């Protein structure tokens, strides 16, 4: 999970996406240090972010 820094108050706000550490760093975003979120690698697309179509078609969706 990654966050954006709110320029008005300096707080972190969730950016609405999850991805690998490499994808997040490559795009100049910040990893939420308090997040313990994870996902199966089958959900990741070629750019390193979670693909909702892969999540919805995965049997993992109902076993987590």
């Amino acid at each position: 999970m990654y966050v954006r820094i709110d320029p008005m108050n300096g707080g972190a706000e969730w950016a609405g996406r999850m991805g690998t550490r490499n994808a997040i760093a490559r795009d100049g975003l910040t990893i939420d240090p308090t997040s313990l979120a994870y996902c199966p690698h089958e959900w990741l697309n070629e750019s390193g972010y979670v693909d909702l179509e892969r999540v919805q078609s995965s049997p993992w969706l109902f076993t987590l």
Side-chain angles (χ1 to χ4, degrees), residues 3-56:
V3 296
R4 294 186 190 118
I5 304 302
D6 184 340
M8 300 300 285
N9 64 20
E13 61 181 30
W14 183 50
R17 295 187 73 189
M18 291 177 61
T20 63
R21 291 184 180 277
N22 289 340
I24 292 168
R26 178 193 65 225
D27 294 342
L29 300 164
T30 304
I31 296 171
D32 180 359
T34 62
S35 173
L36 298 176
Y38 65 93
C39 69
H41 69 274
E42 292 89 359
W43 292 2
L44 300 174
N45 62 19
E46 297 75 31
S47 65
Y49 289 102
V50 172
D51 182 325
L52 291 179
E53 289 181 12
R54 292 181 184 192
V55 172
Q56 293 169 344

